[in-house]
Amino acid sequence: MPGVPADMTIGNDPAQCFSVVNWALPEMNDNCSVASFTGSHDSGFAFPLGSTTVTYSVTDSAGNSLESSFVVTVNDIEMPILVNMPVSLTVINDEGQCGANVVWEDPVPWDNCSITDFDASHQPGAHFPVGTTAVIFEVVDGNGQLTPASFEITVDDEEAPKINGMPADRTITAEAGLCSATNDWIPPVPSDNCEIVSFTASHQPGDSFSVGTTEVTYIAVDSAGIVITDQFMITVLDNEIPEIIRIPEDIVLSADAGGCSAVAEWLAPDSQDNCGISMFNITHESGSSFATGVTTVDITTEDLHGNTEAASFTVTVLDEQEPVLSGIPADIEMNAELGLCGATVSWDEPVATDNCESFDLDADVYRGGVVAVGRNVVTYSGGAGR
């Protein structure tokens, strides 16, 4: 039969599970006449998926017949799709968890023909770890065509690590003879909803700490890079009194000849302390001159932290030189005055001198007064500054 179309293969009409096919009718002729001409399908017929045979039959007036056919194959070329595909999400971890439970609306599978399978790697409300996870969907239509699609869920860890059991501030005393002290403590323990990647400390239990206040710092870093710090203070007190060394013994001297003082010498004292001396003072230096009597030499010292100490010794200068009496008159002999039982007697006063003091002299017989007949002893006595 002339003009019968050749077999044809076509794709489905958009969004349809069929295809409308058009073709030109085959020619009909006979040496006599055509009695009938029929076709199984008309041009413009909607052909379903698969192969359909279109058959034409023609019969002439003599009863002779002829059939001819062609095959129309409709292929499903339209992939299944997912409608209302979720967009990628970023959420914060659930408290205390290294992840989060995330809810979303699943997409809707659609196909021009039929859906035979729809799978998802995760279900709404599933738990997702910190980081980025792809949620993958796969939809398969009745012709075995598979369409994948995905969106991402990112869980950010915004929960800071914790430092548990941080020691309290403490105050201790420097060890004897040292300007420091060692100290022990139970180290704190870090924790995190995910993972601790670094935990460092500025000092370790058993370390030595100088007098003063030192901050002991702990630093924890989690796998998200979040840093937390905490600290406590260790205060070391210097309660140790400074020591004055080489304190001289008390000194006793005699006044220098003709003088009322003496020079005293000693090995200079000093001071020492576990931390250091800020002040040392002595009221008199070795080689100083000391007046007769008792002089206290005071020594004071102070360390760098205000602790003080004091000591003293005495320098005693003795006046062992006797005073000197000069100009004592010679013995005097006189006759009694007329009508008296004695005589008026006068003489030059003697002079008293001393290396330290001045003396006033008194006599038991009044100079220029009447002295009784007989032997009279004139006695001088004196006192300092009289």
Side-chain angles (χ1 to χ4, degrees):
M1 186 180 298
V4 173
D7 293 344
M8 59 182 71
T9 300
I10 57 177
N12 64 286
D13 289 346
Q16 303 298 324
C17 197
F18 59 84
S19 180
V20 175
V21 183
N22 293 286
W23 62 87
L25 289 175
E27 297 177 4
M28 299 173 292
N29 56 60
D30 187 71
N31 60 325
C32 291
S33 63
V34 174
S36 67
F37 178 68
T38 60
S40 62
H41 300 78
D42 293 328
S43 176
F45 182 81
F47 286 82
L49 295 183
S51 296
T52 302
T53 300
V54 178
T55 302
Y56 281 97
S57 297
V58 61
T59 303
D60 66 11
S61 57
N64 298 309
S65 63
L66 176 68
E67 284 190 354
S68 186
S69 64
F70 67 95
V71 176
V72 176
T73 301
V74 179
N75 291 328
D76 181 8
I77 61 173
E78 193 163 339
M79 302 292 289
I81 62 173
L82 291 166
V83 181
N84 295 328
M85 188 68 188
V87 297
S88 293
L89 302 173
T90 298
V91 299
I92 297 171
N93 68 286
D94 293 341
E95 184 177 356
Q97 300 296 316
C98 193
N101 294 329
V102 183
V103 177
W104 64 88
E105 290 290 336
D106 271 341
V108 177
W110 181 91
D111 188 66
N112 58 313
C113 290
S114 63
I115 298 295
T116 59
D117 195 12
F118 177 55
D119 290 324
S121 60
H122 301 78
Q123 298 301 316
H127 185 81
F128 289 81
V130 166
T132 299
T133 303
V135 179
I136 301 171
F137 297 94
E138 289 184 347
V139 57
V140 181
D141 66 12
N143 294 293
Q145 298 182 109
L146 182 149
T147 298
S150 66
F151 72 98
E152 291 183 340
I153 293 178
T154 299
V155 179
D156 288 338
D157 176 16
E158 294 189 2
E159 191 166 330
K162 297 177 182 178
I163 299 177
N164 308 296
M166 196 69 185
D169 295 345
R170 70 270 315 274
T171 299
I172 58 177
T173 302
E175 297 169 14
L178 299 177
C179 196
S180 61
T182 59
N183 190 248
D184 279 305
W185 62 88
I186 298 174
V189 178
S191 63
D192 188 65
N193 58 311
C194 288
E195 179 184 4
I196 297 293
V197 296
S198 174
F199 186 56
T200 58
S202 60
H203 301 78
Q204 298 300 323
D207 281 354
S208 180
F209 294 84
S210 299
V211 167
T213 299
T214 301
E215 181 180 274
V216 178
T217 302
Y218 281 88
I219 302 174
V221 183
D222 69 8
S223 54
I226 302 174
V227 179
I228 188 77
T229 63
D230 203 353
Q231 59 281 318
F232 69 97
M233 302 295 181
I234 295 180
T235 299
V236 180
L237 301 178
D238 174 21
N239 292 335
E240 193 164 326
I241 302 299
E243 179 186 4
I244 299 175
I245 58 176
R246 298 194 303 271
I247 302 172
E249 299 289 337
D250 292 342
I251 298 171
V252 178
L253 301 171
S254 294
D256 296 339
C260 196
S261 62
V263 173
E265 294 184 343
W266 56 82
L267 182 61
D270 201 354
S271 62
Q272 60 187 17
D273 186 69
N274 58 316
C275 287
I277 296 297
S278 63
M279 183 275 290
F280 179 78
N281 184 63
I282 186 168
T283 55
H284 301 76
E285 297 294 337
S286 176
S288 296
S289 180
F290 291 83
T292 54
V294 179
T295 302
T296 299
V297 178
D298 292 314
I299 306 167
T300 54
T301 187
E302 183 175 333
D303 69 13
L304 295 173
H305 302 110
N307 299 304
T308 60
E309 179 64 312
S312 65
F313 65 97
T314 59
V315 176
T316 301
V317 178
L318 301 176
D319 177 14
E320 297 179 329
Q321 301 176 48
E322 297 291 338
V324 176
L325 190 63
S326 60
I328 298 296
D331 294 342
I332 300 172
E333 290 185 6
M334 296 186 66
N335 294 320
E337 294 179 11
L338 182 64
L340 294 176
C341 192
T344 300
V345 183
S346 182
W347 59 83
D348 292 330
E349 294 279 10
V351 176
T353 60
D354 186 69
N355 60 313
C356 286
E357 301 170 306
S358 61
F359 282 84
D360 292 329
L361 293 176
D362 288 326
D364 56 357
V365 175
Y366 177 65
R367 181 174 70 91
V370 176
V371 178
V373 171
R375 186 174 183 272
N376 295 277
V377 177
V378 179
T379 301
Y380 277 91
S381 61
R386 293 196 311 176

